[in-house]
Amino acid sequence: MAEEYAGILNLLDPTNATAAADIDNKIVVVKTALYNSFPNVTGAVTKTHTALNALPDAGDAETISGNWAFTGDPSFKSRTFKGAIGVSVSSAGTITAQTTGGGVTASRSSTGVYLITHNLGTTNYCAQSTISHTGGGGSPIATVISKAANSFEVHTRYTGPGSDVQVDYAFEVLILPY
């Protein structure tokens, strides 16, 4: 049979010209296609189409939105977690907020230089920083540099007319393992 799955059933078959004797064969085709398309369904499916459509696609677990809840640090070395880690760091270099228990710490080593440590154990991640500072002229900048397997540096600067200096600013970091 060519129509082995529900997605390839011919919607124009059977036609009005199909003989009554062939109808039972057409029913077998439809039943076979449904069985092959849903081999693990052994009971009634009670979810609505909206609930089914809201389910993530296979392999897209890292794109699930909502609240992540952990009772301990997720294991990054085994690559079982691929969610984002958000961290807020004060101008003094202490963490003021963290979205997960991802084992992130922060410290300030000198004016405008912060060391962010984590337990990823790999350099397969992206880190993006944003200054929390608002108001005033010029442009406060936070730059991620010196990325390593368990840490990276963030430098905060103030740039303005005739000025480019390291300054202590509060900032946020988003870490995205891949």
Side-chain angles (χ1 to χ4, degrees):
M1 287 181 223
E3 299 169 327
E4 295 174 354
Y5 296 94
I8 58 174
L9 285 173
N10 183 351
L11 298 178
L12 302 177
D13 190 20
T15 65
N16 289 336
T18 301
D22 288 338
I23 295 297
D24 62 336
N25 291 333
K26 300 301 181 185
I27 292 172
V28 170
V29 168
V30 171
K31 288 172 68 177
T32 302
L34 289 172
Y35 179 81
N36 288 340
S37 295
F38 307 103
N40 296 321
V41 175
T42 58
V45 177
T46 59
K47 296 284 185 191
T48 66
H49 69 279
T50 304
L52 291 173
N53 289 336
L55 294 173
D57 291 333
D60 286 350
E62 65 269 23
T63 64
I64 297 172
S65 62
N67 297 322
W68 292 91
F70 296 100
T71 57
D73 290 347
S75 174
F76 292 100
K77 292 180 183 175
S78 66
R79 311 283 294 161
T80 57
F81 175 78
K82 284 189 164 186
I85 304 166
V87 179
S88 295
V89 180
S90 73
S91 61
T94 59
I95 292 181
T96 58
Q98 189 171 163
T99 59
T100 69
V104 178
T105 62
S107 62
R108 187 183 73 209
S109 58
S110 63
T111 302
V113 179
Y114 301 86
L115 179 65
I116 309 298
T117 60
H118 53 74
N119 65 355
L120 294 176
T122 180
T123 56
N124 292 333
Y125 65 90
C126 175
Q128 174 65 45
S129 59
T130 304
I131 292 287
S132 304
H133 174 78
T134 58
S139 300
I141 300 169
T143 306
V144 174
I145 62 168
S146 304
K147 188 171 92 167
N150 291 312
S151 66
F152 57 89
E153 282 187 2
V154 173
H155 290 197
T156 57
R157 306 180 69 78
Y158 173 83
T159 62
S163 178
D164 185 2
V165 295
Q166 296 277 135
V167 178
D168 292 334
Y169 282 125
F171 61 93
E172 286 85 30
V173 174
L174 181 64
I175 306 168
L176 299 167
Y178 56 85

